[in-house]
Amino acid sequence: MERLQKVIASSGYTSRRKAEELITAGKVKVNNEVVTILGTKVTSKDIITVEGKLIKTEEKVYYVLYKPVGYVSTTSDEFGRNTVMDLVSSSKRVYPVGRLDYDTSGVLLLTNDGEFTNLMTSPKNHVEKEYRVKLEGLLRKEESTLICRGIKLDNYKTKKAKIKDVSYNKKSLTTLATIIITEGKYHQVKKMFEFTGHKVLKLKRVRFGVVNLDNMKTGEHRLLKPYELKQLKILVK
Ligand code: URA
């Protein structure tokens, strides 16, 4: 049994707050009866319509995939490239939570829970994402400080970031570093380092909130553990 507004939100139809508005406005029917009471409990057997449209009430599933390089993180690709969906076997219609670039590897969550996806990808919720990067050139302390304070990219200023575990290869003139950000704008990590003149040669997301790649091999996926799911939900409360 779940609250009606939660079921509508997790179908991806709209946010929980909008779902509440739709319920009180008399736009929601359960088994063909208008329901205006918030918090009405429903089960997966109930037929729910919102503004005449049927809401799908599938059991929710949550996976983490160790995305390899060479896969797009969409459900289909107009250029016929491999997609992460080729790597995930699920009887449910899951899709990626946010995106990793074609040439980025690492932690990618997948789910069929629309509300969870919205919460995890909302810029209002500061879920930490940790990346291991290989950079062209030797990253100087001042450049690192600049990036961590926040820089102006396109038409936004990046939020505070953390950079740690920096090491240099003076032969190949490259830097290895870990960066932690709480946003997820398009090509954000690459753009942040490129701002200081360092091209990103390799990028791997090693952590999303509490979820990491421990004991996983590239291309593998697994269900999120109950405590991981719980912790992620707590992070965005
Ligand atoms: N930042 C990027 O530039 N690319 C990614 O895939 C993820 C974060």
Side-chain angles (χ1 to χ4, degrees), residues 28-47:
V28 177
K29 284 184 182 173
V30 177
N31 304 325
N32 218 23
E33 302 263 356
V34 173
V35 172
T36 53
I37 298 167
L38 293 177
T40 300
K41 296 279 176 77
V42 289
T43 72
S44 56
K45 292 203 179 78
D46 289 312
I47 297 177

Side-chain angles (χ1 to χ4, degrees), residues 2-188:
E2 273 193 308
R3 292 157 78 83
L4 183 55
Q5 57 266 45
K6 179 161 190 274
V7 172
I8 296 170
S10 63
S11 75
Y13 186 88
T14 185
S15 67
R16 203 182 293 202
R17 206 161 53 82
K18 267 264 151 47
E20 289 176 355
E21 283 171 21
L22 288 163
I23 294 169
T24 46
K27 302 271 171 67
V28 177
K29 284 184 182 173
V30 177
N31 304 325
N32 218 23
E33 302 263 356
V34 173
V35 172
T36 53
I37 298 167
L38 293 177
T40 300
K41 296 279 176 77
V42 289
T43 72
S44 56
K45 292 203 179 78
D46 289 312
I47 297 177
I48 302 160
T49 56
V50 181
E51 298 173 311
K53 291 192 199 81
L54 188 66
I55 293 295
K56 297 206 181 68
T57 54
E58 220 177 32
E59 185 206 339
K60 301 293 174 257
V61 286
Y62 307 85
Y63 295 96
V64 51
L65 167 72
Y66 185 161
K67 178 196 172 297
V69 165
Y71 286 79
V72 288
S73 41
T74 45
T75 47
S76 65
D77 182 54
E78 53 175 331
F79 305 111
R81 292 176 294 183
N82 294 325
T83 84
V84 291
M85 303 317 296
D86 301 336
L87 300 166
V88 178
S89 52
S90 175
S91 56
K92 307 278 186 312
R93 280 185 302 133
V94 297
Y95 51 84
V97 176
R99 300 250 191 283
L100 285 180
D101 294 336
Y102 185 73
D103 56 358
T104 301
S105 63
V107 177
L108 185 67
L109 303 186
L110 295 107
T111 186
N112 56 351
D113 183 341
E115 186 183 28
F116 176 82
T117 302
N118 292 338
L119 289 170
M120 290 302 138
T121 53
S122 165
K124 282 190 231 127
N125 295 323
H126 310 292
V127 181
E128 282 191 349
K129 282 136 244 170
E130 183 169 330
Y131 296 86
R132 191 75 182 142
V133 290
K134 183 178 181 187
L135 306 171
E136 200 172 76
L138 306 179
L139 182 74
R140 288 183 294 130
K141 188 81 191 85
E142 310 83 81
E143 292 170 332
S144 179
T145 307
L146 192 71
I147 290 174
C148 290
R149 281 194 190 138
I151 48 177
K152 197 139 187 291
L153 286 184
D154 304 330
N155 50 4
Y156 70 96
K157 184 164 183 254
T158 60
K159 297 228 165 66
K160 282 201 172 63
K162 288 178 211 152
I163 294 182
K164 59 179 190 177
D165 302 333
V166 179
S167 65
Y168 303 107
N169 185 326
K170 297 220 166 110
K171 259 197 192 150
S172 61
L173 291 180
T174 53
T175 303
L176 285 178
T178 297
I179 181 166
I180 301 171
I181 60 170
T182 56
E183 307 163 275
K185 299 243 167 51
Y186 187 60
H187 291 334
Q188 182 160 346

